[in-house]
Amino acid sequence: MTDSHGTPGGTARRGMLSAAQLQAAVDAGEIDTVVLAFTDMQGRLQGKRLSAEYFFDEVVPHAAEGCNYLLAVDVDMNTVDGYEMSSWEHGYGDFVLRPDLSTLRRVPWLPATALVLADLTWLDGSPVVASPRQILQAQVARLAERGWVALAGTELEFIVYQDSYEQASDKGYAGLVPANQYNVDYSILGTSRIDPLLRRITGGMTGAGLYVESAKGECNLGQHEIAFRYADVVTTCDNHSIYKTGAKEIAAQDGMSLTFMAKPNLREGNSCHIHLSIRTTEGDAIMAGDGPHGLSKLGEHFVAGQLAALRELTLAYAPNINSYKRFVPGSFAPTAIRWGVDNRTCALRLVGHGHSLRVENRTPGGDVNPYLAVAAMIAAGLHGIDHELPLEPAFTGNAYSDDGPKVPHTLRDALELWEKSDLAEKSFGADVTRHYANYARVELAAFDAAVTDWELRRGFERL
C-alpha cells in the first residue's frame, strides 16, 4: 500500500512538505505565499492566499476563518435561499478553515507558492457536516470501525481549446477551436501535438506531490485524460481537486482553456470513471476471493450494493443539469444500471484481478465532486455488505440495449430519488441530504428560468 503522500516504500513524494520544510523554504526566500483552500459543493478550491509569515504566526496555531456562504451559493457565487447552515437570517457568519498539515505541498506552476488543504469546523470546533471532505471522512470512519480502508483512483477527461478563457467567454462559448481537429483516442501523434501543455500539467502535478501515471488522447476533438496513481480515498479526492484547479491555471497561463464540463458539445462527454477497492488496514484485499470472476462474498455484496443504490445516489455522481446530457447510448457513458466484467457498456465495470480487483463506476462526469461520489460508493457498498445483497449475474453483451433499470434521465429525476432515499439519509444524515437536495433545486430553478440558445434558434423567427 501507499501512505497518504508517499511511495510504496513509504518515502514522501517530491513536492510534499512538512511544516519544518516549509518554514525552511520560507526562511530561504523560496516561498512567500501559502494558499489555504477547501473544496466547495461544486468541487472547486476556495480559500485564501496568505503570506507565509502570517500562516506560521496565526493560522498554524489558531486556524483561519471564512464566510460560511461558501457552502451555500450557486456556481456563479450568488447567495440563494434554502440552506439551513447559511443565510441572511443567520447573518452569513464564519466557519473555521483548519489546515491539514499533512497536505502541505509546493505549487510549481505558481511563483513562490505552497498550498495546504483545510477541514471545516464551526467556531465551537464541531465539524461542518455538509463540507464534501467531511462527508467522505465520515464514510472512511465507518470503514475504519471494521478495520478496513478504501483505495480509489479517479480518471478525469477534459477538452483543450486554443482559445483563452476570456476569448471563450467573449464568443459565448461557441465556435471554439479544439486543440486537436480529429479523434485522437490513444493517438501518440494527437498527444504530441499538445505535448507542451500536457507536459506542463504533468510536471506541475508531479512537483505538487501527485503520482502521474500517463496521458492519452480521447474521442472528442481536443479531448485528453491524465491518469494518476490510486491512493487512499481522501488523498485521491484531495489530489483530484488540486489537479482540476491546477490544470485550468496552467492552461490559462498558456493562453488556452480546458473544460471538465460533462457534456460541452454533441460529441462524447467528459467522464470521471472512479475505481474503488476495499482492503484491511494490513493491506489484504476484501473484494477478491475464489467466487465467480474472482470476487469474494463480501466483494459480491459490495458490488450488489452499488447496483441497488445507484439510482437513489445518482445526485452524488451527476450533480448538475448538464451531467445528464452524457447518458447517451453508444457514447461510452452508461445508460443501464448493470455490472459487467471489463464491459464498458455497463454503469459498473469489474476490472483487475486478485489484489487489484476493483469496481469502476462509469456514471460520474468530469463535473463530479469526487468527495461526494466516493462517499456515495462507500455507503452503497456497505449497504450491500450489511444486507448481504445477492449479486445478479454479470451482464454480457451490449448493455445499451438492455431494458432493465436506467440511470436517471434528468437532475429533476435524480433529486426526487435522493429525497426519497432512506439509504442517503441513514448514510449521510438529514442535514447533508437536505443541503444537497437544495443545491439541486437551486440549479433546477435557475435552468427553468433561463432562455437558452436552443429556444432562440427555434423560436425567434419561426414561431
Side-chain angles (χ1 to χ4, degrees):
M1 282 184 60
T2 302
D3 63 21
S4 294
H5 306 289
T7 63
T11 305
R13 292 199 56 78
R14 177 160 63 92
M16 300 305 300
L17 297 169
S18 66
Q21 288 170 327
L22 176 60
Q23 182 67 73
V26 172
D27 293 342
E30 299 173 5
I31 291 177
D32 58 28
T33 300
V34 178
V35 175
L36 176 66
F38 70 96
T39 303
D40 69 4
M41 289 193 298
Q42 290 81 6
R44 307 171 296 187
L45 288 186
Q46 305 282 23
K48 301 180 179 182
R49 280 176 156 77
L50 309 170
S51 75
E53 181 180 20
Y54 178 78
F55 176 73
F56 278 111
D57 285 349
E58 297 295 335
V59 177
V60 171
H62 305 301
E65 296 175 359
C67 180
N68 62 36
Y69 97 137
L70 291 168
L71 284 180
V73 291
D74 67 10
V75 71
D76 289 323
M77 301 300 290
N78 295 313
T79 53
V80 292
D81 294 332
Y83 289 109
E84 297 173 16
M85 62 167 274
S86 182
S87 65
W88 293 115
E89 289 71 25
H90 287 91
Y92 284 117
D94 281 345
F95 47 39
V96 176
L97 282 68
R98 195 168 302 283
D100 178 350
L101 296 180
S102 72
T103 68
L104 266 173
R105 69 194 69 215
R106 294 180 182 272
V107 183
W109 59 91
L110 298 175
T113 299
L115 178 144
V116 64
L117 297 178
D119 287 318
L120 301 182
T121 70
W122 296 110
L123 298 179
D124 64 4
S126 59
V128 178
V129 295
S131 167
R133 197 170 194 252
Q134 274 65 43
I135 291 171
L136 177 56
Q137 288 173 336
Q139 298 306 306
V140 169
R142 293 180 66 198
L143 290 173
E145 291 173 356
R146 306 168 191 237
W148 297 346
V149 295
L151 302 175
T154 60
E155 299 175 338
L156 264 174
E157 295 173 351
F158 56 91
I159 297 176
V160 182
Y161 294 100
Q162 299 289 356
D163 312 80
S164 70
Y165 283 109
E166 289 73 23
Q167 290 166 339
S169 177
D170 289 343
K171 289 182 175 182
Y173 304 100
L176 306 185
V177 181
N180 303 96
Q181 303 292 319
Y182 53 88
N183 182 328
V184 294
D185 194 24
Y186 287 95
S187 168
I188 299 302
L189 177 60
T191 49
S192 296
R193 291 290 298 275
I194 66 163
D195 183 66
L197 175 61
L198 295 177
R199 183 174 295 274
R200 283 202 65 208
I201 295 173
T202 57
M205 296 308 132
T206 299
L210 281 68
Y211 186 148
V212 177
E213 288 190 350
S214 62
K216 67 175 289 290
E218 291 288 346
C219 298
N220 204 330
L221 307 187
Q223 188 177 47
H224 294 265
E225 175 191 293
I226 297 172
F228 297 87
R229 183 76 164 174
Y230 70 89
D232 71 272
V233 290
V234 175
T235 296
T236 287
C237 294
D238 289 348
N239 290 344
H240 177 119
S241 297
I242 292 167
Y243 158 59
K244 196 170 181 180
T245 295
K248 291 179 182 179
E249 291 173 341
I250 292 168
Q253 290 169 1
D254 285 357
M256 302 173 74
S257 59
L258 57 83
T259 183
F260 296 95
M261 186 177 176
K263 187 74 168 177
N265 54 42
L266 295 180
R267 291 179 62 96
E268 297 84 0
N270 287 319
S271 67
C272 178
H273 304 146
I274 299 178
H275 294 248
L276 184 70
S277 64
I278 307 296
R279 298 184 187 173
T280 67
T281 52
E282 290 76 28
D284 297 325
I286 293 292
M287 294 176 59
D290 56 7
H293 313 298
L295 284 165
S296 66
K297 275 298 179 186
L298 285 178
E300 291 181 5
H301 298 325
F302 188 86
V303 177
Q306 304 298 322
L307 289 168
L310 198 148
R311 279 178 54 81
E312 60 195 282
L313 300 184
T314 296
L315 187 62
Y317 305 135
N320 301 304
I321 296 284
N322 181 256
S323 308
Y324 296 82
K325 306 293 178 71
R326 278 183 62 243
F327 304 135
V328 177
S331 67
F332 287 99
T335 57
I337 300 178
R338 297 296 187 190
W339 79 282
V341 180
D342 198 16
N343 187 338
R344 287 183 168 87
T345 70
C346 298
L348 298 169
R349 172 175 169 245
L350 191 70
V351 288
H353 57 274
H355 215 60
S356 69
L357 189 70
R358 60 198 185 275
V359 63
E360 176 193 59
N361 188 337
R362 298 178 61 82
T363 310
D367 60 339
V368 73
N369 187 317
Y371 298 96
L372 303 181
V374 175
M377 289 183 70
I378 294 172
L382 289 177
H383 171 69
I385 289 172
D386 289 345
H387 292 83
E388 298 184 348
L389 297 183
L391 181 60
E392 65 185 45
F395 191 92
T396 58
N398 182 5
Y400 290 118
S401 62
D402 181 62
D403 59 3
K406 303 293 185 183
V407 176
H409 188 62
T410 66
L411 180 62
R412 188 169 278 106
D413 295 337
L415 170 60
E416 182 178 355
L417 288 162
W418 174 268
E419 290 190 298
K420 292 178 178 177
S421 173
D422 290 335
L423 172 60
E425 185 164 331
K426 289 176 181 176
S427 299
F428 310 124
D431 289 344
V432 169
T433 54
R434 287 197 300 266
H435 192 90
Y436 285 91
N438 193 64
Y439 172 100
R441 284 194 294 271
V442 166
E443 291 301 296
L444 286 164
F447 182 73
D448 289 344
V451 178
T452 66
D453 291 345
W454 182 87
E455 293 167 280
L456 288 168
R457 284 195 301 270
R458 292 169 72 91
F460 188 90
E461 177 180 348
R462 286 172 283 185
L463 295 181

